[in-house]
Amino acid sequence: MTIEHYIERNATLYPDKTAIVCDGEHCTYSMLQERISRKAAALQEAGCREGQIVCLRALPTVDYLVDYFAYHVAGCVVAPLEKDLPEASFQKIAHELCPHTVPKGSADILYTTGTTGRSKGVIISHDAIIADAENLIDGQGFSHDLAFVVNGPLNHIGSLSKLYPLMMLGATAIIVDGLKDLNRFFDAFQYPAPKMATFLVPASIRMLLQFGAAQLAALADKMDFIETGAAAISQADMEALCRLLPTTRLYNTYASTETGIISTYNYNDGKCVAGCLGRPMKHSQIIITDKGLIACKGRTLMTGYVGDNQCSMVNGQCSMVNGQRSMFNVQRSTLDVVYTSDMGMLDADGMLHLTGREDDVINVGGFKVAPTEVEDAALAFPDVEDCVCIPVDHIISGKALKLLVVMKDGKSLDRKALALHLKTKLEAYKIPMLYSQVDKVERTFNGKINRKHYLNPAQ
């Protein structure tokens, strides 16, 4: 079955149950199914063919979701693109995708954010979508009576993957256009459901802790769970959220466009272990390579990169399909293994712990430093709002650490005080040599630090 089959089933089982809420529009499952069927029939009549790749702007609307599901029903492969993408860029991608063919069973082409390199089109199968949904249902307790506030872009796995279990179970998705309007975000939680949940990237959690802590705390009895992912969340923010929502399950999830949803950890467990991402979910397996890198197996993996007619290169390594190099023009289901650049370890209980990214590690005089560890320690300093640790050239050690710091309103950077704070948390070689106050840290839409931006020597 596909997600669209589940929507059709739910239209029979729960015809009057609200499927999607957006900008005051309430679309029931019977209404959603009727609109999808009508649109799919029109697309097929217009000549849409099996396997045809179609680009859509991922607007936060019911119409977009109807189109997204309808193109699947019509047999097309959907490439959801950023809603604000310039028209010339949209047409360029559509033109580039047009001549490509994809394996049978493909559903989507999702573009990566390209924080450390060129953005790539990742092919996702219908089977991977179902496996992602079942992983989330099993791992986080999605249920039929849940209303989930989806506030991220609907062209990336962070938000799309939440629609899958909701549509599978006959639950409710409440679509909010980002966090530009905090009042609108919090208003979404007034929906009359017994249980509410949401997904927030770490940067959004930090913003809500600063500007909406009281409103978050007021949701303690209604908030079933909050998931975070896409980037590392600091220990300080984890602890603050646990204090505000003492009975809410707070999940830190390991996932990516290429791997799908892999593992999750409820850090509101009394231990609040930073960097812990839990055990692999039901359709996933984790391998730690000899180099300490995370590799993933299971049904949630991508099929490959679009246009890759050699072998599917994942972070510089050739992924394997059924024990052989994956030739893209061969009809196949999914990769056997996806190798990542994330560094991690499995503890005695089988819990995954993220220790950094191979691409981000800074070599300081022979010592390897994960910048995320330095950033996490700095974020625990009371006056620090945000920060990024970057390498700079050094005449003796080759590279030295520099910390760019965003201070809270009305505060100025006290380099000595911050360095003394860091000395209580880090080894000596991890203490930055240089400090600079900046207005902001460059991040992507999903809260990841845009480290590619800081490769510019002028920084």
Side-chain angles (χ1 to χ4, degrees):
M1 290 179 69
T2 66
I3 290 299
E4 290 72 29
H5 288 130
Y6 281 98
I7 293 173
E8 183 178 10
R9 184 198 67 173
N10 291 333
T12 299
L13 295 177
Y14 323 110
D16 298 325
K17 176 75 183 291
T18 300
I20 303 169
V21 179
C22 183
D23 267 345
E25 181 181 0
H26 290 240
C27 184
T28 66
Y29 274 95
S30 60
M31 293 165 58
L32 180 61
Q33 175 58 29
E34 193 275 332
R35 290 173 65 176
I36 291 171
S37 297
R38 189 168 66 245
K39 178 73 174 186
L43 292 172
Q44 290 168 329
E45 186 176 341
C48 282
R49 65 186 187 279
E50 185 80 18
Q52 179 180 344
I53 300 172
V54 178
C55 293
L56 295 178
R57 286 190 184 275
L59 300 169
T61 64
V62 176
D63 284 344
Y64 161 70
L65 293 176
V66 168
D67 288 351
Y68 172 80
F69 295 128
Y71 273 107
H72 285 167
V73 172
C76 298
V77 177
V78 179
L81 301 179
E82 184 181 346
K83 63 183 178 68
D84 296 322
L85 192 68
E87 183 61 23
S89 299
F90 182 95
Q91 294 300 332
K92 181 174 183 291
I93 293 173
H95 178 75
E96 290 174 348
L97 286 176
C98 185
H100 290 294
T101 58
V102 294
K104 187 176 178 63
S106 298
D108 292 343
I109 296 172
L110 303 182
Y111 279 85
T112 60
T113 55
T115 55
T116 57
R118 185 175 60 86
S119 180
K120 300 177 287 293
V122 178
I123 303 173
I124 309 297
S125 68
H126 283 288
D127 184 64
I129 286 174
I130 294 297
D132 279 330
E134 292 179 348
N135 269 3
L136 286 168
I137 292 167
D138 185 68
Q140 296 182 347
F142 278 71
S143 59
H144 172 70
D145 58 350
L146 181 71
F148 195 103
V149 177
V150 180
N151 62 85
L154 294 170
N155 57 310
H156 288 282
I157 192 168
S159 293
L160 273 178
S161 65
K162 306 309 171 290
L163 293 174
Y164 307 150
L166 297 172
M167 297 298 101
M168 180 179 281
L169 294 168
T172 301
I174 302 174
I175 309 300
V176 177
D177 187 12
L179 296 183
K180 293 175 289 187
D181 186 339
L182 286 186
N183 288 329
R184 175 169 289 191
F185 171 75
F186 282 113
D187 285 347
F189 291 91
Q190 300 307 310
Y191 184 80
K195 294 189 294 187
M196 303 285 293
T198 192
F199 173 87
L200 295 165
V201 297
S204 295
I205 289 175
R206 175 158 282 264
M207 181 176 69
L208 290 176
L209 288 173
Q210 182 177 4
F211 299 110
Q215 291 158 291
L216 268 179
L219 297 173
D221 292 336
K222 194 173 186 179
M223 190 74 78
D224 190 35
F225 66 91
I226 295 176
E227 182 192 18
T228 192
I233 181 172
S234 73
Q235 179 83 45
D237 288 349
M238 289 168 62
E239 292 173 353
L241 204 56
C242 288
R243 288 192 296 269
L244 284 177
L245 302 170
T247 61
T248 298
R249 286 174 283 123
L250 303 172
Y251 289 107
N252 198 5
T253 297
Y254 185 68
S256 70
T257 312
E258 289 93 340
T259 65
I261 314 298
I262 299 296
S263 66
T264 197
Y265 163 61
N266 175 18
Y267 58 86
N268 202 359
D269 62 350
K271 300 176 183 177
C272 199
V273 181
C276 183
L277 296 161
R279 296 182 183 87
M281 298 181 185
K282 64 183 292 184
H283 294 303
S284 304
Q285 299 174 52
I286 292 171
I287 302 165
I288 305 299
T289 70
D290 293 340
K291 293 176 63 178
L293 299 176
I294 299 170
C296 301
K297 299 181 68 174
R299 283 177 54 196
T300 66
L301 303 186
M302 71 174 185
T303 306
Y305 291 125
V306 70
D308 183 357
N309 57 7
Q310 296 298 316
C311 65
S312 288
M313 299 298 292
V314 184
N315 295 312
Q317 302 196 44
C318 183
S319 299
M320 305 299 288
V321 180
N322 299 323
Q324 300 182 4
R325 283 176 176 264
S326 55
M327 301 302 293
F328 197 76
N329 58 1
V330 175
Q331 294 295 300
R332 51 187 167 77
S333 55
T334 187
L335 301 173
D336 276 352
V337 183
V338 167
Y339 297 89
T340 79
S341 289
D342 294 322
M343 302 171 64
M345 53 87 67
L346 293 170
D347 66 19
D349 295 323
M351 305 272 275
L352 176 64
H353 295 257
L354 194 65
T355 56
R357 283 185 61 86
E358 184 183 37
D359 297 342
D360 296 340
V361 168
I362 302 170
N363 190 325
V364 181
F367 292 99
K368 303 293 180 64
V369 180
T372 51
E373 186 178 3
V374 180
E375 292 154 4
D376 190 44
L379 288 170
F381 190 66
D383 295 338
V384 172
E385 176 62 30
D386 202 358
C387 64
V388 57
C389 180
I390 64 172
V392 292
D393 292 332
H394 190 270
I395 193 169
I396 297 175
S397 60
K399 293 292 180 183
L401 303 179
K402 181 176 182 179
L403 192 65
L404 305 180
V405 184
V406 179
M407 302 301 292
K408 292 182 178 177
D409 288 345
K411 301 293 183 180
S412 297
L413 174 61
D414 184 333
R415 294 170 176 79
K416 183 176 180 179
L418 180 53
L420 289 173
H421 162 80
L422 294 177
K423 285 180 180 178
T424 67
K425 295 181 173 292
L426 300 170
E427 296 92 328
Y429 67 88
K430 297 178 181 177
I431 307 298
M433 180 180 294
L434 302 170
Y435 300 82
S436 180
Q437 185 170 344
V438 296
D439 293 331
K440 67 174 183 176
V441 170
E442 295 294 333
R443 293 181 178 272
T444 65
F445 75 93
N446 59 4
K448 290 182 181 179
I449 293 174
N450 188 355
R451 297 194 187 275
K452 184 169 60 175
H453 172 84
Y454 294 102
L455 295 179
N456 185 340
Q459 290 294 329

